[in-house]
Amino acid sequence: MGEAKVMYKLEKPQEGLPHGIPYGMAVGNHDQYPSQFAASGHTALYNKYFGVSHFEGRAYYGGHFAQDNDSHYDLFSAGGIDFIVIYIEYDAFDEQQDEMNNWAAELLERYADRKAIVVTHYTLFLNPVAGTNLNGRAPFGKQAERLYHRIKSHPNLIMMMGGHVGDNGEGYRQDTYNGHTVKSFLSDYQSRPMGGNGMMRLMRFDVASDLVHVRSFSPYFDYEELDGDSNFKVPFLREPAATRVYDFNLDGRSDVMKFQSGNWFDRNGTLLFSHWNAGGVPAASYFEGGGQTLPAVYNLQKAVYTLQNGQQVALGEPNAIPVPADYDGDGIADLAVWNPTTAIWSTRGQADVKHGWAASTPVPADYDGDGAAERAVWRWSNQTWYIAQVGNVPFGEPGDVPVPGDYDGDGKADICVWRPTTGEWLIHGAQKSVKLGKQGDLPVPGDYEGIGRVQFAVFDPERKAVLLESGHVIPMDAAVAEIVNLPFAIKTYYLDLLKK
């Protein structure tokens, strides 16, 4: 009855919410008798206070699975987005797991126009290293893993969350399938003093900046945890491995940046960061997850990365080329280099891989939509894209510039070239090309307007501006060699072409 008294407070009518704040619950082992049994046990007390009859008639209540309300779903809209939230009962002994998973899949198909959040009692185990989301994925619970693989093919699925696991009680992971990413969260503070000290989690969805702000706090003690797995941000719908590129200020849009004498400047000429003593070339990427591009440089002679915090990481051999990308699909860009002499890819924390030829340009990207960048090269002699573990695709002509990117917003990188002689952008498989730019301009694709796909764009050194396919112009006082918004390897290849 105590739980009902607490939750019923949410049902107080408010302006625009005649049934109060929409809410739902995922039944867990402490709601089941005997504990752990989803079908052979019963949930009489839970259904007494939170049963079908209690929620029927509420505008947000969608319906339920089987004969009771142990698994159910809600429908609501906020921020101009329609949502479905599916709550699935804990099923430790797999008594009805397949049936519930199929029910969830049917709902995702029926409500394909709604972004979906799935709540289970036990979704994740703890982060590998407490206090941070940066040290690998938290493992799925058994039931949640089976559920994810059953429903991952539905592109409207965006999140999973749950509890059950105490101790530090926090975990995070993300998984990508066919170009769309699902983020999973654990928050459970029951094992802390006084049953958690009133700790709770608040997630705020910032649609304009395409961010989810996560906070963990105790209103009872007026206390907030600020460590890396308690207070953090993650992208909402667009991922840095696909469309969210060069977003240095985390506003959901690509930012034009220049690197001059070791200093990083935005389009207003504001100095944002300095690597003045590192002696490197720009190699920015999303090294801490969360969708934010962070400055970094790679010293070609010393084979050393210098990060934003000043940390130095030796990697590769002299004259290797920086190719940072998310090669393991955990949502965090890895420090990596490619050696054009040996064709060896060296990635921090991963085994070396040989792929490519000397006379090639490295073009790593997520071409198959699994969330991990494939090691890939564009070979100059035959204009063929050699994508490791995917395939070889001839595309382009001599003098073209490879510019892979997610130009259609499907979460996968498209094979694309820019032809300086004609100003054409050509995408493999597309029926038509788009003309933008001229010889001497620099291709700088990115999502500069926050439209959810990479846009064709060029930097015109004569006009001192970035020209977008939409017709918009972004002023930028810089030289071609100073612009950051094209991977170093591709920019070097193009500048060498201009000298010939």
Side-chain angles (χ1 to χ4, degrees), residues 348-360:
R348 183 169 67 163
Q350 301 176 32
D352 285 354
V353 176
K354 186 173 183 177
H355 181 71
W357 293 267
S360 304

Side-chain angles (χ1 to χ4, degrees), residues 140-450:
F140 269 129
K142 180 184 68 170
Q143 180 181 354
E145 183 170 24
R146 284 179 57 182
L147 173 61
Y148 168 74
H149 288 296
R150 176 64 182 87
I151 62 179
K152 67 182 181 182
S153 62
H154 296 273
N156 54 329
L157 175 66
I158 61 170
M159 286 185 184
M160 296 177 66
M161 56 186 66
H164 186 66
V165 181
D167 300 321
N168 290 311
E170 292 173 321
Y172 174 78
R173 69 175 287 142
Q174 66 178 55
D175 298 89
T176 303
Y177 178 79
N178 198 27
H180 68 273
T181 299
V182 175
K183 298 173 175 66
S184 299
F185 303 84
L186 159 67
S187 56
D188 186 332
Y189 309 101
Q190 64 178 315
S191 297
R192 300 187 182 186
M194 296 179 61
N197 283 325
M199 285 291 293
M200 61 187 298
R201 173 162 283 186
L202 178 68
M203 301 174 69
R204 180 169 64 87
F205 293 72
D206 183 344
V207 177
S209 297
D210 189 59
L211 289 174
V212 179
H213 301 252
V214 179
R215 296 176 57 197
S216 303
F217 62 98
S218 168
Y220 183 78
F221 282 102
D222 192 23
Y223 163 76
E224 183 167 359
E225 288 193 359
L226 299 176
D227 57 356
D229 57 5
S230 304
N231 188 299
F232 58 95
K233 301 173 186 176
V234 295
F236 177 28
L237 299 176
R238 306 195 302 272
E239 302 303 319
T243 58
R244 194 187 185 104
V245 293
Y246 303 115
D247 184 3
F248 287 89
N249 62 4
L250 211 57
D251 67 349
R253 295 167 171 79
S254 298
D255 304 297
V256 185
M257 291 280 287
K258 75 175 179 179
F259 182 75
Q260 183 183 64
S261 302
N263 297 310
W264 299 74
F265 298 91
D266 65 13
R267 65 172 177 161
N268 298 314
T270 303
L271 176 64
L272 298 183
F273 193 76
S274 178
H275 282 110
W276 65 270
N277 63 344
V281 298
S285 198
Y286 48 105
F287 298 111
E288 295 183 2
Q292 183 171 14
T293 301
L294 298 175
V297 299
Y298 184 71
N299 188 306
L300 302 176
Q301 288 71 44
K302 296 180 179 179
V304 173
Y305 270 99
T306 301
L307 306 182
Q308 181 185 21
N309 59 8
Q311 179 187 3
Q312 294 192 325
V313 179
L315 189 65
E317 299 176 352
N319 297 316
I321 298 172
V323 284
D326 179 11
Y327 293 98
D328 56 9
D330 64 354
I332 302 166
D334 303 297
L335 299 178
V337 297
W338 182 69
N339 189 317
T341 302
T342 63
I344 295 294
W345 299 69
S346 298
T347 306
R348 183 169 67 163
Q350 301 176 32
D352 285 354
V353 176
K354 186 173 183 177
H355 181 71
W357 293 267
S360 304
T361 298
V363 285
D366 181 12
Y367 294 95
D368 60 2
D370 66 353
E374 282 76 47
R375 294 168 176 86
V377 298
W378 188 69
R379 195 175 185 182
W380 309 337
S381 62
N382 59 4
Q383 297 81 52
T384 295
W385 300 66
Y386 293 89
I387 305 172
Q389 298 181 319
V390 175
N392 308 330
V393 182
F395 189 69
E397 296 180 358
D400 287 350
V401 181
V403 280
D406 182 10
Y407 295 97
D408 56 7
D410 67 351
K412 304 176 185 179
D414 299 299
I415 293 173
C416 179
V417 297
W418 180 64
R419 190 159 292 162
T421 54
T422 63
E424 289 179 285
W425 295 73
L426 301 104
I427 297 176
H428 182 263
Q431 298 298 316
K432 297 181 180 179
S433 64
V434 173
K435 192 168 183 178
L436 178 68
K438 64 185 184 306
Q439 188 86 36
D441 292 349
L442 183 73
V444 287
D447 184 5
Y448 297 95
E449 297 174 311

Side-chain angles (χ1 to χ4, degrees), residues 129-145:
V129 178
T132 177
N133 291 328
L134 300 181
N135 289 274
R137 296 182 178 133
F140 269 129
K142 180 184 68 170
Q143 180 181 354
E145 183 170 24

